[in-house]
Amino acid sequence: MSVNIPSSSVPSSTSRFQVHVINEGHSSAAAVSDSADPPHYEETSFGDEAQNRLRISFRPGNQECYDNFLQTGETAKTDTTFHAYDSHTNTYYLQTFGHNTMDAVPKIEYYRNTGSVSGPKVNRPSLLEIHEQLAKNVTVAPGSADRVANGDGMPGDEQAENKEEDMAGVVKFGWVKGVLVRCMLNIWGVMLFIRLSWIVGEAGIGLGVLIILLSTMVTSITGLSTSAIATNGFVRGGGAYYLISRSLGPEFGGSIGLIFAFANAVAVAMYVVGFAETVVDLLKESDSMMVDPTNDIRIIGSITVVILLGISVAGMEWEAKAQVILLVILLIAIANFFIGTVIPSNNEKKSRGFFNYQASIFAENFGPSFTKGEGFFSVFAIFFPAATGILAGANISGDLEDPQDAIPRGTMLAIFITTVAYIGVAICVAACVVRDATGSMNDTIVSGMNCNGSAACGLGYDFSRCQHEPCQYGLMNNFQVMSMVSGFGPLITAGIFSATLSSALASLVSAPKVFQALCKDNIFKGLQFFAKGYGKNNEPLRGYFLTFVIAMAFILIAELNVIAPIISNFFLASYALINFSCFHASYAKSPGWRPAYGIYNMWVSLFGAILCCAVMFVINWWAAVITYVIELFLYIYVTYKKPDVNWGSSTQALSYVSALDNALELTTVEDHVKNFRPQCIVLTGGPMTRPALLDITHAFTKNSGLCICCEVFVGPRKLCVKEMNSGMAKKQAWLIKNKIKAFYAAVAADCFRDGVRSLLQASGLGRMKPNTLVIGYKKNWRKAPLSELENYVGIIHDAFDFEIGVVIVRISQGFDISPVLQVQDELEKLEQERLALEAAIKDNECEEGKGGIRGLFKKAGKLNITKPAPKKDGNISTIQSMHVGEFNQKLVEASAQFKKKQGKGTIDVWWLFDDGGLTLLIPYILTLRKKWKDCKLRIYVGGKINRIEEEKISMASLLSKFRIKFADIHIIGDINIKPNKESWKVFEEMIEPYRLHESHKDLTTAEKLKRESPWKITDAELEAVKEKSYRQVRLNELLQEHSRAANLIVLSLPVARKGSISDLLYMAWLEILTKNLPPVLLVRGNHKNVLTFYS
């Protein structure tokens, strides 16, 4: 991008941007040759604009600043100051880079959400502000445009500064203390010190390492998926719940979030009981039992949870310090084990199976030696929970300084380090200790004894009796092998304490954080109480105490062997959904899916999700079933409740892609008459203003055809577009709220007819294109301006021109209930003002003495109270006793008539003209609906008086071939006779004000009248179509005679030839045809078949 600015305006100070002035001459070429910038290419010239260019590049010294920008996503501050430019020159439009401008350069503040904790949101100038002509009386002060263009000086800056001051005391963690430490502590559990030796004893070194690697594969794939989701936008608090809900939507997120939080709460009890059991074992050895083993576990566990709760409530900073201390102890314990493996073993340890590193022991222990009832998958099921805990860092995402960087780096490094440690410990312990040992130093081999060929036998010990009787030592029998091997046994005990307490502490913090995020989203309405946070870090104290209660309850049970598999499956279910989220987001191909962490693959994530589901059944099949049942129940519950949230989930993206693919696929198939369905444009205006018109249309389009509620905004484009755009979402939301399966569409046009014409041509998509126009009958046609009448009849002509069927609906009270809605809005405003004033008075009473009556008026002014509200005890009754006329009760009842279930009755179909079958198809579809199913079809057709029976049989045969059930068929043979004099007189009186009566004038006067009033009905026109006028009046007589008691009348719509029938005469036909009747549908198809009797 290049524009020319004076050299005086180029800043000399260092900034992110360097502006070079380029003159289109030889000096310019020299400047370019000296620059390291890439060459510029020729651009299309637009007059004088081509002579002015601005080049932007990075100074070499600023590359570090730019790199920092890429990493943090924040814009660097600039000290550059531009001077105001002369607005009278021809370069006044060059306003982006610091001149008098409304245009703005890209800034991160424009892309933040409202209320963002990372900084204030700034609104960029709207397209309207930039596009519209600048008012002549608007002057831009020097330097003020800079502030506007760069997002400075915007309203709300002061509040933003205050927010930043409030955030100053918030504790945030980096990737080491926040993620790496937590994940390592959570992954390294008691399994490392107590059960890993047994696992490698059962499975052998080869399969043992395979078990570890298989577990790591599951966690690594999940870690990659977590990293991808975490780097696809800013991550708030909530951990696994936040990642899943924002990716797959509230249904999956809400269901998994609740069970994940519960799993963490119960995990606190599991880890604390593990700690208490170790302490009780020590008390047994020292003969210091308090009561009995079970109650001692309860007592010690309860005390431990209270202490852990105190650390958590004290704040995240104290909890983090405790985690670091526990990690140091854990690392010392692991190092102590490796040191012990190289310390020469004594006779006591040898009798227990420890011989230091021996190749023979390594070879013997390499293969599996499963005991009765054990196998590869059973051993894998026991080990796998030791590999979990990878979400410990992600669960406190809200307390991380940079979650997008910390979660991938800390999680993946923790998985790598802990996997290396597990494999290292497994190999080392299996290379030093035999599987079975007696513990007796007398079991040495003396000369003359036969050796059984085992590794221990080769090293001077005979443990062969372990094959016939149980032994207490060795990898297979002793869970304290690591204590025996280590250099200093008590350090292993300290490591066990550290592993259990750190895991318990991490779960105690994770559960409330996840639960608080879930409650804040208000997916489960009854849990809103736990959303409140306290202090600078927004600590979920209520969640802490709830977690404490749950943990204490399970500790008092002291039997966790049954619940443990379910908890492991809960964690695995969350892993599966995280992997599926990553796959789903990639598969949906949403442009918004742009994770900064690129080391992932959608198919690998899908494989990881399937693997997690398989592992759930491997660990415990009934626990997996219970997990799926609970998750399915919660999913159905959330889906049914339909929380009012929109997070741009991949589910939405995939729905769009599926809809697009289906629409495109539909275009490849030719339309077939068997698949015809009414696809309607309904001219409702705002859908809430004409509910009856929408209801009757929805009755025959619901679940079968397209329905588009259309509104035309007439007037100045700027105002119309603003009004149209502001109400679009509200009106579509009204349709959804009222469970009406329809779309809302609006256009802005110079006149109503032009707008409808645009809708008729451009609405729809591919094969899902409207084929029927539904409009309400214009009840006020006699009082309406001629332009309105011309537009109304014109859209009927336009529909026929575009080969679109027309349905005109008439009910006695009319459709428009806008006056009723206005009254309701006014009443709601009055009620809100009353409540607001009461609240202000109540606040003033609470703060009496602080502001007095002046404070009350100040608060009332802030609430925009401009009308005196009635007293509290009389206001409600006043509203309820308002005159019924203001509500127009009859109009309200009429607007809801099609919402009610129609009782037993008839739908009378007057199929007078063959229009392809639409006149018959619409009432047939109505009879399939619940509200209309008790109504029977009665068919009325015209015929000859002398052939009534033959034509009745013929019509019955046709209907039976169409497979349309009917109650009766009536052949009307006297349609074309003249109506009676009273009826014809009513018609003549109706059209009298609009007649020209030119036949009673001389030729000159008649021509003058035609020129002055071309819209009036001429005598020649009336005479030419007199037979048709007779028919409309006669049909009304027949309708009054046969269908006065019908629930609904469906009648063939008469067609007016363009240029032959005036608008007023046509409206008179429709008026006299449908006068004083039940609800009427005037239907005219496009004269293409919509019914067929072929299979």
Side-chain angles (χ1 to χ4, degrees):
M1 170 174 168
S2 301
V3 278
N4 188 19
I5 60 173
S7 58
S8 60
S9 65
V10 179
S12 58
S13 58
T14 303
S15 74
R16 283 188 59 223
F17 294 109
Q18 172 69 31
V19 181
H20 298 283
V21 177
I22 300 177
N23 296 320
E24 300 292 341
H26 299 289
S27 59
S28 173
V32 172
S33 61
D34 294 339
S35 171
D37 291 341
H40 285 261
Y41 297 95
E42 285 297 324
E43 297 180 358
T44 304
S45 174
F46 295 96
D48 295 338
E49 297 177 17
Q51 298 176 7
N52 304 317
R53 294 187 178 181
L54 175 72
R55 181 190 302 155
I56 301 174
S57 64
F58 294 102
R59 287 183 174 179
N62 288 358
Q63 188 63 38
E64 182 180 351
C65 178
Y66 173 67
D67 292 340
N68 183 59
F69 162 76
L70 285 180
Q71 292 176 5
T72 62
E74 298 284 340
T75 53
K77 293 183 179 179
T78 175
D79 297 329
T80 304
T81 304
F82 290 102
H83 297 289
Y85 211 56
D86 182 9
S87 62
H88 297 288
T89 65
N90 63 348
T91 53
Y92 173 65
Y93 73 94
L94 302 177
Q95 298 175 347
T96 301
F97 295 99
H99 304 289
N100 299 341
T101 182
M102 283 298 291
D103 223 337
V105 297
K107 290 191 69 174
I108 193 172
E109 286 81 3
Y110 297 133
Y111 297 91
R112 287 197 176 105
N113 286 335
T114 304
S116 172
V117 296
S118 59
K121 173 179 172 57
V122 177
N123 293 324
R124 69 176 64 80
S126 69
L127 185 60
L128 194 66
E129 292 170 334
I130 296 171
H131 185 231
E132 288 293 321
Q133 190 174 17
L134 191 65
K136 291 182 179 180
N137 60 347
V138 175
T139 56
V140 185
S144 64
D146 293 344
R147 294 193 297 274
V148 175
N150 293 288
D152 301 329
M154 289 289 186
D157 284 357
E158 185 177 343
Q159 292 90 327
E161 290 174 6
N162 294 336
K163 183 180 281 189
E164 289 178 3
E165 290 176 5
D166 293 340
M167 295 293 290
V170 176
V171 178
K172 295 289 184 181
F173 303 112
W175 70 275
V176 175
K177 190 184 287 188
V179 182
L180 180 65
V181 170
R182 293 174 186 279
C183 288
M184 288 173 62
L185 283 170
N186 229 26
I187 296 172
W188 278 332
V190 291
M191 191 73 68
L192 177 67
F193 298 103
I194 296 178
R195 302 300 290 272
L196 188 59
S197 57
W198 176 86
I199 288 167
V200 79
E202 289 280 351
I205 296 174
L207 291 181
V209 171
L210 183 63
I211 287 172
I212 295 171
L213 291 177
L214 185 59
S215 302
T216 302
M217 181 171 67
V218 175
T219 56
S220 296
I221 294 173
T222 307
L224 292 174
S225 300
T226 304
S227 301
I229 299 172
T231 56
N232 188 54
F234 184 76
V235 179
R236 298 183 185 274
Y241 159 73
Y242 185 88
L243 298 178
I244 294 171
S245 62
R246 267 50 177 186
S247 183
L248 287 179
E251 296 83 6
F252 281 106
S255 58
I256 203 66
L258 196 60
I259 66 174
F260 186 74
F262 177 77
N264 273 286
V266 178
V268 175
M270 290 176 58
Y271 294 128
V272 168
V273 167
F275 167 78
E277 285 178 348
T278 307
V279 174
V280 168
D281 287 341
L282 293 176
L283 292 176
K284 282 182 183 177
E285 292 178 6
S286 59
D287 197 20
S288 304
M289 297 289 293
M290 290 179 283
V291 185
D292 56 68
T294 301
N295 285 311
D296 283 4
I297 289 172
R298 290 170 177 162
I299 294 169
I300 296 168
S302 300
I303 296 171
T304 305
V305 170
V306 171
I307 295 171
L308 293 177
L309 178 66
I311 294 172
S312 301
V313 172
M316 289 295 295
E317 195 170 6
W318 284 94
E319 188 266 349
K321 290 177 180 177
Q323 292 280 29
V324 171
I325 294 171
L326 293 172
L327 178 63
V328 170
I329 296 172
L330 195 58
L331 291 174
I332 292 173
I334 294 172
N336 174 53
F337 164 76
F338 286 113
I339 292 171
T341 59
V342 296
I343 297 175
S345 178
N346 54 34
N347 290 334
E348 181 182 0
K349 289 185 177 181
K350 286 181 179 179
S351 67
R352 296 182 178 182
F354 173 51
F355 295 95
N356 295 109
Y357 291 107
Q358 301 291 336
S360 58
I361 296 178
F362 182 89
E364 184 178 77
N365 289 343
F366 189 84
S369 179
F370 295 113
T371 55
K372 186 177 181 181
E374 300 295 348
F376 177 81
F377 288 108
S378 64
V379 174
F380 172 80
I382 292 171
F383 172 78
F384 183 80
T388 59
I390 60 171
L391 297 179
N395 287 339
I396 62 161
S397 53
D399 296 296
L400 298 176
E401 192 173 330
D402 184 7
Q404 292 180 305
D405 175 68
I407 292 175
R409 189 185 299 187
T411 303
M412 297 312 297
L413 186 59
I415 292 173
F416 175 75
I417 293 173
T418 52
T419 301
V420 170
Y422 272 127
I423 292 175
V425 170
I427 292 175
C428 290
V429 74
C432 298
V433 183
V434 296
R435 283 192 166 101
D436 296 297
T438 60
S440 173
M441 290 184 287
N442 296 325
D443 287 338
T444 55
I445 296 176
V446 295
S447 56
M449 288 183 63
N450 292 326
C451 186
N452 61 1
S454 65
C457 188
L459 295 170
Y461 279 81
D462 180 18
F463 299 142
S464 57
R465 63 188 173 97
C466 291
Q467 298 176 2
H468 311 291
E469 60 183 62
C471 293
Q472 295 183 352
Y473 297 98
L475 295 175
M476 307 279 279
N477 310 303
N478 184 14
F479 291 157
Q480 304 296 328
V481 167
M482 286 192 68
S483 296
M484 176 190 68
V485 173
S486 64
F488 185 59
L491 279 179
I492 299 298
T493 304
I496 295 173
F497 289 171
S498 173
T500 52
L501 293 177
S502 63
S503 297
L505 193 56
S507 298
L508 186 57
V509 170
S510 297
K513 295 281 185 183
V514 173
F515 192 59
Q516 182 188 34
L518 177 67
C519 297
K520 275 185 178 179
D521 290 335
N522 203 22
I523 292 177
F524 300 97
K525 303 291 184 182
L527 302 178
Q528 185 67 21
F529 174 78
F530 296 98
K532 184 175 176 59
Y534 297 86
K536 295 284 186 180
N537 268 57
N538 197 33
E539 295 290 347
L541 297 185
R542 296 175 179 178
Y544 281 132
F545 285 106
L546 178 64
T547 305
F548 169 77
V549 170
I550 295 172
M552 186 67 78
F554 281 95
I555 287 169
L556 294 178
I557 295 173
E559 289 291 336
L560 297 175
N561 291 335
V562 176
I563 199 72
I566 299 177
I567 300 307
S568 296
N569 275 280
F570 281 1
F571 285 124
L572 272 168
S574 63
Y575 293 174
L577 276 181
I578 287 175
N579 284 310
F580 185 73
S581 298
C582 185
F583 163 76
H584 200 269
S586 303
Y587 184 73
K589 299 174 184 174
S590 171
W593 174 249
R594 302 183 301 274
Y597 190 83
I599 311 174
Y600 77 97
N601 180 275
M602 59 183 286
W603 300 110
V604 172
S605 296
L606 178 62
F607 173 72
I610 296 171
L611 203 58
C612 288
C613 295
V615 170
M616 289 173 68
F617 283 94
V618 167
I619 290 178
N620 192 298
W621 68 267
W622 58 263
V625 171
I626 291 174
T627 303
Y628 283 126
V629 169
I630 294 174
E631 187 175 338
L632 181 63
F633 170 77
L634 293 173
Y635 177 88
I636 294 172
Y637 174 82
V638 176
T639 304
Y640 175 75
K641 289 294 182 181
K642 286 186 171 58
D644 186 19
V645 294
N646 182 12
W647 296 321
S649 67
S650 59
T651 307
Q652 296 172 348
L654 193 61
S655 297
Y656 175 83
V657 172
S658 299
L660 186 62
D661 289 342
N662 290 334
L664 289 170
E665 187 177 351
L666 206 57
T667 60
T668 63
V669 181
E670 289 294 327
D671 288 332
H672 194 281
V673 64
K674 286 197 298 184
N675 292 323
F676 177 88
R677 58 201 65 217
Q679 303 195 108
C680 299
I681 280 183
V682 196
L683 297 185
T684 57
M688 61 283 291
T689 60
R690 291 175 176 82
L693 181 61
L694 180 56
D695 289 337
I696 188 63
T697 309
H698 188 242
F700 59 81
T701 60
K702 181 182 180 182
N703 296 329
S704 64
L706 180 69
C707 182
I708 306 176
C709 301
C710 296
E711 185 170 10
V712 179
F713 290 86
V714 179
R717 182 183 298 176
K718 182 178 178 181
L719 296 176
C720 287
V721 170
K722 184 177 180 181
E723 184 183 358
M724 180 177 70
N725 291 339
S726 63
M728 194 82 72
K730 179 183 177 182
K731 290 166 184 175
Q732 184 64 54
W734 185 89
L735 292 170
I736 296 170
K737 181 181 178 182
N738 288 272
K739 298 181 180 179
I740 297 174
K741 296 184 178 180
F743 298 96
Y744 172 76
V747 293
D750 295 330
C751 73
F752 180 71
R753 185 175 179 181
D754 287 345
V756 176
R757 192 183 287 131
S758 299
L759 289 166
L760 290 173
Q761 294 179 88
S763 295
L765 185 67
R767 297 291 181 198
M768 294 183 294
K769 196 170 182 64
N771 53 35
T772 306
L773 171 67
V774 181
I775 55 176
Y777 177 72
K778 191 168 185 62
K779 190 179 178 183
N780 66 337
W781 64 274
R782 281 180 273 194
K783 298 179 181 179
L786 290 173
S787 59
E788 284 189 16
L789 192 62
E790 184 181 353
N791 283 335
Y792 182 81
V793 178
I795 63 173
I796 299 174
H797 289 307
D798 292 337
F800 291 147
D801 287 342
F802 298 135
E803 294 188 340
I804 291 176
V806 175
V807 177
I808 301 177
V809 188
R810 181 174 185 179
I811 58 176
S812 58
Q813 296 296 325
F815 293 104
D816 191 1
I817 62 168
S818 299
V820 177
L821 297 178
Q822 289 176 1
V823 171
Q824 289 178 348
D825 288 343
E826 288 297 323
L827 291 177
E828 287 177 5
K829 287 179 182 177
L830 286 172
E831 182 67 9
Q832 288 173 0
E833 288 178 0
R834 183 187 69 79
L835 294 173
L837 184 59
E838 284 183 2
I841 294 171
K842 188 175 181 180
D843 290 345
N844 186 70
E845 289 174 353
C846 295
E847 298 179 4
E848 190 173 357
K850 293 183 180 180
I853 194 67
R854 185 180 299 173
L856 172 61
F857 283 116
K858 186 177 179 182
K859 289 179 182 177
K862 289 181 180 178
L863 293 166
N864 295 320
I865 298 175
T866 57
K867 299 180 182 178
K871 292 182 181 180
K872 178 180 178 181
D873 55 355
N875 192 50
I876 298 295
S877 60
T878 303
I879 292 174
Q880 292 176 346
S881 62
M882 291 186 73
H883 196 274
V884 178
E886 292 188 25
F887 285 95
N888 197 341
Q889 194 65 27
K890 289 183 178 179
L891 182 59
V892 173
E893 290 176 0
S895 69
Q897 63 181 302
F898 297 125
K899 294 183 187 296
K900 303 173 184 175
K901 181 176 175 61
Q902 306 295 316
K904 288 186 177 181
T906 63
I907 298 176
D908 287 1
V909 183
W910 289 71
W911 194 17
L912 305 177
F913 309 105
D914 196 326
D915 59 352
L918 186 64
T919 308
L920 188 61
L921 180 62
I922 287 177
Y924 167 73
I925 296 174
L926 285 175
T927 59
L928 302 178
R929 308 305 184 197
K930 287 182 179 179
K931 293 175 183 175
W932 295 88
K933 68 178 182 179
D934 293 332
C935 294
K936 306 299 182 182
L937 290 184
R938 291 195 303 185
I939 312 299
Y940 292 83
V941 293
K944 296 178 181 179
I945 295 178
N946 58 351
R947 285 180 53 84
I948 288 179
E949 287 302 321
E950 292 86 342
E951 292 191 10
K952 188 172 184 178
I953 293 170
S954 175
M955 179 54 63
S957 174
L958 178 61
L959 293 176
S960 64
K961 288 181 179 179
F962 284 150
R963 302 172 304 283
I964 291 178
K965 295 180 180 179
F966 57 91
D968 200 0
I969 295 176
H970 296 271
I971 306 299
I972 308 298
D974 53 351
I975 291 177
N976 292 322
I977 67 173
K978 286 185 179 181
N980 62 49
K981 292 181 180 179
E982 290 78 10
S983 300
W984 182 249
K985 186 178 180 182
V986 170
F987 178 74
E988 286 185 323
E989 290 175 352
M990 184 188 302
I991 64 174
E992 179 61 31
Y994 315 109
R995 291 187 62 179
L996 198 62
H997 291 294
E998 82 283 1
S999 61
H1000 302 293
K1001 308 287 190 305
D1002 59 79
L1003 188 61
T1004 305
T1005 306
E1007 290 299 326
K1008 183 180 177 183
L1009 288 174
K1010 287 181 181 179
R1011 286 195 302 271
E1012 290 175 352
S1013 305
W1015 44 271
K1016 284 196 172 184
I1017 304 170
T1018 64
D1019 292 342
E1021 176 192 359
L1022 196 58
E1023 187 63 31
V1025 294
K1026 195 168 187 178
E1027 291 298 325
K1028 289 188 177 180
S1029 299
Y1030 281 157
R1031 185 191 304 152
Q1032 312 312 321
V1033 180
R1034 175 59 183 158
L1035 278 172
N1036 182 260
E1037 292 177 349
L1038 293 170
L1039 286 164
Q1040 297 282 354
E1041 179 184 346
H1042 295 280
S1043 299
R1044 189 67 185 268
N1047 295 57
L1048 181 70
I1049 298 172
V1050 181
L1051 175 65
S1052 292
L1053 172 68
V1055 177
R1057 288 189 180 275
K1058 288 193 297 183
S1060 300
I1061 309 297
S1062 62
D1063 296 340
L1064 285 165
L1065 180 58
Y1066 185 63
M1067 291 305 300
W1069 283 359
L1070 300 185
E1071 175 70 25
I1072 198 66
L1073 181 62
T1074 58
K1075 189 178 179 66
N1076 299 327
L1077 289 173
V1080 178
L1081 266 63
L1082 293 165
V1083 181
R1084 176 66 70 151
N1086 62 0
H1087 286 239
K1088 294 181 181 178
N1089 288 350
V1090 301
L1091 295 172
T1092 182
F1093 45 79
Y1094 294 107
S1095 59

